[in-house]
């Protein structure tokens, strides 16, 4: 176990998918080919898998462009793109079942639309946020923003961002029922080694 306090690096995410060629095509449309790895898996997975991937962009036009591309590539709309109190965004489910949210805190467009993604954030559902936070601290992760049911950890610039969210709150934010069982179908690549967290999420 590593208990140093250096900032962690989450270099990529590996998604386990039933159809590798279809998934490669889909995530290429989202511009995530360099941040998401794919491998074939038919391990049972039912309902909410306990994680979401958020793509943070600079303006609403970018969010709409990426969401439109995802839908054209076969994604199912969970939450249509819309303005809200916090900004603008929408949520879709990829053909392999992964939930992808595209969002911006800005409500106005200031430049031509593009598919540029500023940050990728993976949110993992935690049954006990306090216990999971301590688990990650014990493995060398450094907490950043933290309030009640949410904990975001510090990561190197350019790295994938990583946070914990209470399971029912994450499901509500995603717009899906909380129930789910079986494989999470995700492996997170990091600089700390291989381990499995209290909710069964695998790191390598």
């Amino acid at each position: 176990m590593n208990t140093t306090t250096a900032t962690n690096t989450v270099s990529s995410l590996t998604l386990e998918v039933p159809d590798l060629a279809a998934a490669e095509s889909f995530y290429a449309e989202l511009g995530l080919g360099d941040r998401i790895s794919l491998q074939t898996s038919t391990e049972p997975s039912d309902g909410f898998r306990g994680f979401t991937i958020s793509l943070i962009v600079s303006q609403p036009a970018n969010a709409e462009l990426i969401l439109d591309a995802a839908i054209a590539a076969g994604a199912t709309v969970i939450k249509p793109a819309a303005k809200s109190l916090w900004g603008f965004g929408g949520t879709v489910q990829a053909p392999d079942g992964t939930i992808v949210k595209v969002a911006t805190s800005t409500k106005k467009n200031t430049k031509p639309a593009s598919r540029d993604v500023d940050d990728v954030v993976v949110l993992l559902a935690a049954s006990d946020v306090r216990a999971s936070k301590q688990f990650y601290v014990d493995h060398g992760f450094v907490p950043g923003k933290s309030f009640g049911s949410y904990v975001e950890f510090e990561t190197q610039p350019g790295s994938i961002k990583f946070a914990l969210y209470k399971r029912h709150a994450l499901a509500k934010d995603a717009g899906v029922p909380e129930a789910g069982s079986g494989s999470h179908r995700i492996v997170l690549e990091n600089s700390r080694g291989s381990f499995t967290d209290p909710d069964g999420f695998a790191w390598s």
Side-chain angles (χ1 to χ4, degrees), residues 48-116:
F48 182 44
R49 293 182 190 166
F51 76 93
T52 65
I53 296 172
S54 293
L55 310 183
I56 309 304
V57 298
S58 62
Q59 60 179 6
N62 292 15
E64 288 186 298
L65 198 61
I66 293 171
L67 287 165
D68 287 346
I71 295 164
T76 301
V77 176
I78 299 176
K79 289 184 177 181
K83 287 184 179 180
S84 67
L85 290 175
W86 50 263
F88 181 91
T91 305
V92 297
Q93 188 165 31
D96 65 87
T98 300
I99 295 172
V100 180
K101 180 177 182 178
V102 187
T104 176
S105 59
T106 303
K107 296 182 181 181
K108 293 183 179 180
N109 297 313
T110 58
K111 54 189 175 183
S114 76
R115 294 192 199 178
D116 293 340

Side-chain angles (χ1 to χ4, degrees), residues 1-4 8 134-141 192 195:
M1 183 180 297
N2 191 334
T3 56
T4 61
N8 196 71
Q134 187 59 54
F135 174 88
Y136 282 102
V137 169
D138 290 343
H139 281 75
F141 288 71
R192 295 290 182 201
F195 57 88

Side-chain angles (χ1 to χ4, degrees):
M1 183 180 297
N2 191 334
T3 56
T4 61
T5 57
T7 302
N8 196 71
T9 298
V10 184
S11 55
S12 69
L13 308 173
T14 297
L15 299 177
E16 299 173 344
V17 300
D19 186 331
L20 191 59
E24 286 174 345
S25 176
F26 177 82
Y27 289 105
E29 283 296 312
L30 270 62
L32 296 176
D34 61 337
R35 304 205 201 187
I36 290 181
S37 300
L38 303 165
Q39 63 185 36
T40 304
S41 175
T42 56
E43 200 167 335
S45 183
D46 183 65
F48 182 44
R49 293 182 190 166
F51 76 93
T52 65
I53 296 172
S54 293
L55 310 183
I56 309 304
V57 298
S58 62
Q59 60 179 6
N62 292 15
E64 288 186 298
L65 198 61
I66 293 171
L67 287 165
D68 287 346
I71 295 164
T76 301
V77 176
I78 299 176
K79 289 184 177 181
K83 287 184 179 180
S84 67
L85 290 175
W86 50 263
F88 181 91
T91 305
V92 297
Q93 188 165 31
D96 65 87
T98 300
I99 295 172
V100 180
K101 180 177 182 178
V102 187
T104 176
S105 59
T106 303
K107 296 182 181 181
K108 293 183 179 180
N109 297 313
T110 58
K111 54 189 175 183
S114 76
R115 294 192 199 178
D116 293 340
V117 174
D118 297 335
D119 286 305
V120 177
V121 184
V122 58
L123 282 85
L124 303 184
S127 54
D128 184 331
V129 174
R130 179 179 292 183
S132 291
K133 176 183 177 181
Q134 187 59 54
F135 174 88
Y136 282 102
V137 169
D138 290 343
H139 281 75
F141 288 71
V142 180
K145 284 191 237 175
S146 181
F147 52 88
S149 61
Y150 177 87
V151 180
E152 183 178 303
F153 294 90
E154 294 182 3
T155 51
Q156 294 283 359
S159 172
I160 292 169
K161 293 187 176 181
F162 157 58
L164 301 172
Y165 206 2
K166 189 74 173 175
R167 184 179 175 91
H168 72 82
L170 182 56
K172 182 178 180 181
D173 180 68
V176 297
E178 180 182 349
S181 62
S183 173
H184 293 302
R185 290 196 178 177
I186 185 173
V187 178
L188 297 94
E189 312 292 334
N190 81 113
S191 57
R192 295 290 182 201
S194 299
F195 57 88
T196 301
D197 84 355
D199 292 283
F201 287 100
W203 292 73
S204 66

